[in-house]
Each structure stands twice: as C-alpha cells, then as structure tokens.
Amino acid sequence: MNTKQPLKNKSQVQELPPLFDKSNQRWMAVGAVIIALGMFLMSGGKNADPNVFDPHVTYSFARVTVAPILVLLGLMVEIYAIFKNPKTAE
C-alpha cells in the first residue's frame, strides 16, 4: 500500500501570506540598530598607555550602565517586533 500523497498541481498550491509585514521588519531593524549601538558602546575606547590600567576608562558609565540598558532595550524591541500582529487589509 502506498501512503504517499500525490504531488499537487501548481494551480492547487496555496500561497501563504508572509509571516512579517513591513512594519514588523522596520521594528526588527530598529531593534538591531539599538543592539548594535549598545555593543559598540560596550566595546568602549582604549587607554592612552596600554601598560597602565585606568579604571575610569574600563568602568566608565557608558560601558557599565548605558550599553547593557541599550542591549536589553533592543532585545525588548525585537520581541515586540516578533509578536506584533500585522495589519490585515479588509
């Protein structure tokens, strides 16, 4: 007994709507930019003299506080973009 189903004709194949519309994609791009900005700030700058440890550069406010907040904010924007319902044309 053959349990395989026959192939459908091209006329019988239903085209599925896209999973994300343009507004979802825009929100995803905004989230990606925010995450990238947070990662850039987290990488920080460099010391003037590499042989001397400067805690003000390594543990600066932008590196320790602002950058992680931006990364988390970007992740929240990404979650919003994924769960946002696309507008339906009626």
Side-chain angles (χ1 to χ4, degrees), residues 5-54:
Q5 293 188 7
L7 296 175
K8 293 182 179 180
N9 294 336
K10 287 184 180 181
S11 63
Q12 294 176 338
V13 176
Q14 292 180 357
E15 193 170 318
L16 296 174
L19 188 58
F20 300 116
D21 65 349
K22 287 192 184 259
S23 67
N24 293 79
Q25 292 172 356
R26 283 188 196 116
W27 279 108
M28 285 184 198
V30 167
V33 167
I34 293 172
I35 292 172
L37 180 63
M39 292 293 186
F40 177 74
L41 285 176
M42 206 177 297
S43 68
K46 66 176 186 173
N47 285 331
D49 184 9
N51 297 322
V52 176
F53 177 73
D54 186 9

Side-chain angles (χ1 to χ4, degrees), residues 21-87:
D21 65 349
K22 287 192 184 259
S23 67
N24 293 79
Q25 292 172 356
R26 283 188 196 116
W27 279 108
M28 285 184 198
V30 167
V33 167
I34 293 172
I35 292 172
L37 180 63
M39 292 293 186
F40 177 74
L41 285 176
M42 206 177 297
S43 68
K46 66 176 186 173
N47 285 331
D49 184 9
N51 297 322
V52 176
F53 177 73
D54 186 9
H56 297 291
V57 174
T58 305
Y59 302 115
S60 68
F61 181 73
R63 265 187 170 172
V64 177
T65 306
V66 176
I69 290 172
L70 281 177
V71 171
L72 290 175
L73 180 69
L75 289 172
M76 287 190 288
V77 170
E78 291 292 335
I79 291 170
Y80 171 75
I82 291 170
F83 285 112
K84 180 180 176 296
N85 285 331
K87 291 183 180 178

